[in-house]
Amino acid sequence: MEVVKVENVTRTYKVGNTETQALRGVSLTIENGEFTALVGPSGSGKTTLLQLIGCLDQPTSGHVTINGKDVSTLNRNQRADMRRASIGFVFQFFALIPTLTAYENIEMPLLLAGVNGTERRNRVMELLDIVDLKDHAHHRPDQLSGGQQQRVAIVRALASKPALLLADEPTANLDTPNGKVVMETMVRLNKATGVTFVFATHDPRVISYARRVVTLRDGLIADGQVTPGA
Amino acid sequence: MKQLLTMALRDLGRNRRRSLFSALALGIGLALLLLMAGVVNGEMEGALNSAITLQSGHLQVRSKTYTEDKTSLAFEDLVENPGDLAARIGQLPPVAVVTPRLFASGIAAVGDRSVGLRIVGIDPASPANDPFRKGLVGAFLAPDDREGVLIGQTLADKIALKTGDSLTLLVNTSNGDVDQQAFVIRGVFNTNTPGFDENTVLMPLAKAQAITRADNHASILFILLKDKEQTGAVAAALTSNQYDVKTWLQLNDVAVQTEQLANGFMYVLYLIVLAITATVIVNTLVMAVFERTREIGVLSAIGMRSSRIMTMFLVESGFLTIGGIVIGLVLGGLMVLWATVFGFHIGNIGATGLLISDTIHAHLTLSDTVMLTALTLIISLIASLYPATLASRMEPVEALHGGRG
Ligand SMILES: Nc1ncnc2c1ncn2[C@@H]1O[C@H](COP(=O)(O)OP(=O)(O)O)[C@@H](O)[C@H]1O
Ligand SMILES: [Mg+2]
C-alpha cells in the first residue's frame, strides 16, 4: 500500500522580487515500509520535497497524499495534527529541545498525543533501550554526543508510532563512525517496526544503505533511478 | 501542562541574568506604584483628616443663612442657645462630640504690621479640642479666662511671639464695629498643619461671644461621630426646617475634588510606569522568541499546535511576572513601611483651601495594593501576548530554516 503519493508538485519560493522554483513538477509514490534515499546535489530540492511530504509546507501546485488523505489543502492546525499523528522528523541539526532531558524529549510527542502516564513511561524507556541510551535518560542534550543526540532524535520521531519517518541529511553533522551507527539504527528500526523511512542525503557512504534511491536534479526527478542492494 | 510549566521555568533559567533583570524591572515598577499610591493616599487622607478634626467636623449644624466665607455675626446667621441644642444632639448614640464654636475675623497688630486672623471661640472643656492640646506649649484655656488666647505655631513664628507675650487683637463685632483688646498668649498650639496654624487664634467661647457682642450665639455646632460612615444617617436625623446640616463631604468639597483629581492623575502615572515595565517584559520575550526560533520550528514539526506554543510563552511570561510581583511587593512593602513610619517632611507648602500636614505619612490601602498588583499582572500578560503571538505565527519551515547553520 502506498503511504505517500506526490502528484505534479511544484513549489516556488518568493523572496522579495526573486522567485526560486525549488520543485518543478515532481511525481513520486512511496510504498509502506520503504527505506528510500532522496539524493541530489545541494539546492536540488530535497529539503523542499521532504517538507511538503511532511506537512510542514504546502505545494504551490499539485497534490500530496498521505495514507490516502490529501494534505495539500489542510490548514495550519490540521497540518500540525497530521504531523503529530503520522509523521516523525529527524533533522540535520540535532533538533532536541535543549532544556529537556533525553527522556523528556522523547516524551514530548507522547504528551502532545495525550498518551497516559504509565504507558508513556514504558514507551519512553523502551525507545531509549532500542538506541542503547537508557543510562542517559536524564541527561540534557549538551551532555550527549552528536551521535547520541541524533539517536534520541530518531526514537523521538518514532515515539508516537508514525506512518512515516522523514530524515533530512541525518548524518551530515556526524563523523563517519557516528554516521554509521545512526544509519544502522535507522535500518534496524525500519525492519523492526515497518515504519516507512525517507531520508535526504548527498553523502555517497549513506546512499548505500538505501533500498531505493530517488534522484532529484534542479527540482525534477532525474531519470535512471538506481536501486542498489535490492 | 506540567511539561509546559517545566519548560517555561527552565527556559527562564537559560538566561538567568536577563530573567532576573526583567523581573526586577517589573518589581521596581510595582514597588514605585505602591509607594506613590501610599504617599498620595496618605497625603489626601491626612488633609481630609486635618480638615475634619480641625475645621469641619463630620457634621455641622448652623443657621440656614450662615455662609462660611463671610464669617457673619448677624444674629439671624447664628445658632441661638447653642449649649441646649448641643446637649440634645449629644444624646444621639452615634455622636462622639458636639461643641459650639464661634468664628470671627480679626487682625493682630504687631509693631507696624498687621496680620489677618480667624478667631475661633471654643468650649475649652470639649474633647473636640484635643488636636490643639496635643502639641501645645504653655497652658490651655480656662473657660472663664477673659484675657487669654492660644495661637498656632506658624503664626507665632511669623509674628515672633511666644507664650506669655501680649497680643493686641482687633475683632469684628455683631453690630458692624471693631473692638480692640490686648490679650495674653497662654499657649502656642501645633497641629502640624501650617495652613491652619498660621492664621488661627483660639479663645474661650464666652469671651468670643462677649467681644463680638454675639451674646448667647455660636456660628456652628461642631460634631464628630464615632464612625464617619454614620454621617448620612445622623445628618438625616438632625435635619429640621430650623437649621442647616452640612456633612464633611459638603464642607470639604475642595479636598474631596482634589483627591478625585489626584486619583485620576495617579491612574495616568500608573499606566506610564506599567507601560515602561511592560516594555522590558516584551523585550525579554521577543529576544527569547528569536533565540529559540529553531526550537519553535522543532516543536511545531513534532505536532505542537500554535496555540500551545503561544501558551508556552505566556506561561513563561507568567512566571516572570509573578517573580516580578513578589519582588515588587517585598520592595514596595518595605518602602511604604518606611514612608508610613517616618514620612516625608515637606514643611509649609502654602497650599490654600487644603489643610496639608507638614509631614506626609504614607497610607497604603489593601484595595490599592490588590488593584495595583492585578493591574501589573494584567498589563504584563497583555504585553506578552505580542511575543507569544510572534512565536505562534511562525511558519514551521521558516522557523526551522531561521535557526539553521
Ligand atoms: N525558504 C526558502 N526561501 C527561498 N528559497 C528557498 C527556501 N528554501 C529553499 N530555497 C531554494 O530552493 C532551492 C531548493 O532548496 P532545498 O530544497 O533546500 O534543496 P536541497 O535540500 O536539495 O539542498 C534552492 O535553490 C534554495 O535556495
Ligand atoms: Mg537540504
Side-chain angles (χ1 to χ4, degrees):
Chain A
M1 208 197 79
E2 65 200 28
V3 183
V4 180
K5 196 166 173 195
V6 178
E7 293 168 284
N8 277 320
V9 158
T10 69
R11 176 66 168 98
T12 307
Y13 293 109
K14 249 195 199 140
V15 179
N17 287 327
T18 40
E19 288 194 357
T20 312
Q21 264 213 308
L23 296 177
R24 304 160 186 268
V26 170
S27 296
L28 175 70
T29 303
I30 293 167
E31 300 289 329
N32 200 8
E34 273 191 30
F35 196 78
T36 296
L38 217 51
V39 304
S42 185
S44 57
K46 304 182 294 294
T47 297
T48 303
L49 183 56
L50 282 181
Q51 285 171 346
L52 290 174
I53 295 171
C55 301
L56 281 170
D57 193 13
Q58 286 177 301
T60 308
S61 71
H63 292 275
V64 177
T65 312
I66 306 288
N67 277 337
K69 187 176 164 74
D70 187 349
V71 296
S72 343
T73 54
L74 297 182
N75 71 25
R76 240 185 124 89
N77 277 336
Q78 290 169 325
R79 275 185 281 139
D81 295 344
M82 188 74 198
R83 293 194 293 270
R84 187 171 62 239
S86 310
I87 296 157
F89 286 96
V90 175
F91 298 97
Q92 174 178 345
F93 58 92
F94 315 127
L96 300 180
I97 303 301
T99 50
L100 301 181
T101 62
Y103 181 99
E104 290 163 336
N105 263 286
I106 299 170
E107 194 184 21
M108 180 59 88
L110 298 170
L111 280 167
L112 292 177
V115 177
N116 77 44
T118 325
E119 194 185 335
R120 207 166 63 220
R121 193 159 45 248
N122 292 341
R123 177 94 179 120
V124 174
M125 290 319 287
E126 177 196 339
L127 289 163
L128 277 167
D129 196 28
I130 289 174
V131 286
D132 232 4
L133 287 171
K134 250 182 158 166
D135 299 343
H136 297 71
H138 301 295
H139 289 201
R140 299 256 182 109
D142 59 10
Q143 297 164 319
L144 298 172
S145 74
Q148 289 171 329
Q149 286 184 56
Q150 201 62 313
R151 273 143 63 203
V152 172
I154 290 167
V155 286
R156 179 183 67 185
L158 289 173
S160 55
K161 305 192 174 159
L164 185 61
L165 188 142
L166 304 173
D168 193 359
E169 315 220 16
T171 59
N173 283 342
L174 293 174
D175 57 16
T176 308
N178 270 308
K180 198 165 168 244
V181 173
V182 162
M183 285 319 294
E184 279 164 1
T185 305
M186 296 207 329
V187 170
R188 185 157 54 90
L189 283 167
N190 168 253
K191 285 199 175 119
T193 63
V195 172
T196 310
F197 277 67
V198 180
F199 62 98
T201 186
H202 57 247
D203 182 350
R205 288 166 303 182
V206 169
I207 298 172
S208 59
Y209 288 94
R211 287 205 301 279
R212 177 184 168 197
V213 174
V214 176
T215 307
L216 275 174
R217 192 159 289 129
D218 293 333
L220 286 169
I221 291 182
D223 292 328
Q225 294 178 13
V226 274
T227 312
Chain B
M1 195 61 203
K2 183 170 159 271
Q3 190 81 347
L4 284 187
L5 296 180
T6 311
M7 282 178 79
L9 267 184
R10 290 189 192 162
D11 278 330
L12 284 174
R14 278 157 102 163
N15 202 328
R16 265 168 236 265
R17 191 153 46 152
R18 190 173 69 197
S19 304
L20 186 72
F21 275 124
S22 313
L24 202 60
L26 192 76
I28 290 172
L30 177 59
L32 281 177
L33 293 186
L34 292 173
L35 183 66
M36 278 179 355
V39 168
V40 168
N41 185 50
E43 173 182 346
M44 287 299 147
E45 224 170 49
L48 201 55
N49 238 343
S50 309
I52 289 172
T53 54
L54 300 176
Q55 225 163 43
S56 73
H58 289 128
L59 284 168
Q60 285 185 7
V61 173
R62 56 203 208 184
S63 159
K64 290 223 180 270
T65 53
Y66 178 84
T67 48
E68 222 111 32
D69 20 355
K70 280 201 310 194
T71 329
S72 166
L73 289 166
F75 282 3
E76 70 266 25
D77 294 335
L78 300 178
V79 179
E80 198 176 0
N81 279 329
D84 294 353
L85 187 56
R88 264 184 288 135
I89 293 172
Q91 310 273 302
L92 294 174
V95 172
V97 187
V98 48
T99 183
R101 282 185 177 170
L102 180 68
F103 301 119
S105 46
I107 293 170
V110 185
D112 52 358
R113 283 206 307 157
S114 55
V115 183
L117 298 171
R118 184 172 164 84
I119 290 160
V120 184
I122 58 168
D123 170 10
S126 172
N129 302 316
D130 286 351
F132 309 123
R133 283 201 180 85
K134 212 172 78 185
L136 186 76
V137 178
F140 202 72
L141 298 168
D144 57 352
D145 192 343
R146 312 296 287 175
E147 288 166 350
V149 292
L150 303 179
I151 67 172
Q153 180 70 53
T154 319
L155 178 62
D157 292 344
K158 198 155 83 179
I159 60 182
L161 291 179
K162 56 183 191 309
T163 301
D165 287 350
S166 137
L167 173 68
T168 301
L169 293 177
L170 286 80
V171 185
N172 286 333
T173 69
S174 182
N175 47 32
D177 293 339
V178 175
D179 203 346
Q180 177 174 351
Q181 187 185 324
F183 288 87
V184 177
I185 299 171
R186 303 277 186 228
V188 175
F189 63 85
N190 187 358
T191 64
N192 290 319
T193 312
F196 185 85
D197 295 352
E198 71 185 353
N199 59 9
T200 305
V201 171
L202 304 177
M203 64 175 70
L205 180 64
K207 176 62 195 175
Q209 287 168 334
I211 198 172
T212 60
R213 318 278 189 277
D215 296 354
N216 191 20
H217 289 82
S219 302
I220 60 156
L221 288 184
F222 175 98
I223 301 170
L224 289 175
L225 303 176
K226 289 170 186 151
D227 177 6
K228 195 163 107 177
E229 305 302 317
Q230 295 279 328
T231 305
V234 179
L238 290 179
T239 300
S240 74
N241 42 25
Q242 218 181 334
Y243 297 110
D244 216 6
V245 178
K246 292 272 188 238
T247 67
W248 61 271
L249 266 172
Q250 295 166 316
L251 293 164
N252 296 297
D253 53 345
V254 174
V256 171
Q257 277 166 22
T258 308
E259 179 170 6
Q260 281 163 357
L261 192 70
N263 284 342
F265 270 119
M266 290 310 285
Y267 267 99
V268 174
L269 273 177
Y270 295 159
L271 291 179
I272 292 172
V273 171
L274 286 175
I276 295 168
T277 50
T279 309
V280 175
I281 298 275
V282 170
N283 193 42
T284 300
L285 286 173
V286 167
M287 276 199 275
V289 169
F290 284 123
E291 279 167 10
R292 281 182 242 149
T293 299
R294 197 165 72 175
E295 277 167 61
I296 294 167
V298 170
L299 289 170
S300 175
I302 62 179
M304 194 182 266
R305 279 187 170 206
S306 325
S307 52
R308 198 139 179 165
I309 292 174
M310 186 158 171
T311 310
M312 197 171 78
F313 278 92
L314 286 180
V315 168
E316 193 168 328
S317 137
F319 277 126
L320 209 56
T321 305
I322 289 168
I325 284 176
V326 169
I327 294 173
L329 287 176
V330 171
L331 202 66
L334 289 174
M335 277 160 44
V336 170
L337 188 69
W338 185 87
T340 305
V341 175
F342 299 105
F344 299 103
H345 187 81
I346 56 166
N348 184 358
I349 61 167
T352 50
L354 279 183
L355 293 180
I356 293 180
S357 163
D358 59 359
T359 306
I360 295 179
H361 290 275
H363 178 216
L364 184 63
T365 60
L366 182 65
S367 72
D368 273 354
T369 311
V370 171
M371 185 271 289
L372 288 173
T373 305
L375 199 65
T376 307
L377 185 71
I378 290 166
I379 290 199
S380 165
L381 288 182
I382 288 177
S384 51
L385 280 176
Y386 168 67
T389 309
L390 204 66
S392 73
R393 291 256 173 90
M394 261 174 198
E395 283 296 331
V397 173
E398 304 290 327
L400 289 166
H401 201 80
R404 199 176 307 180

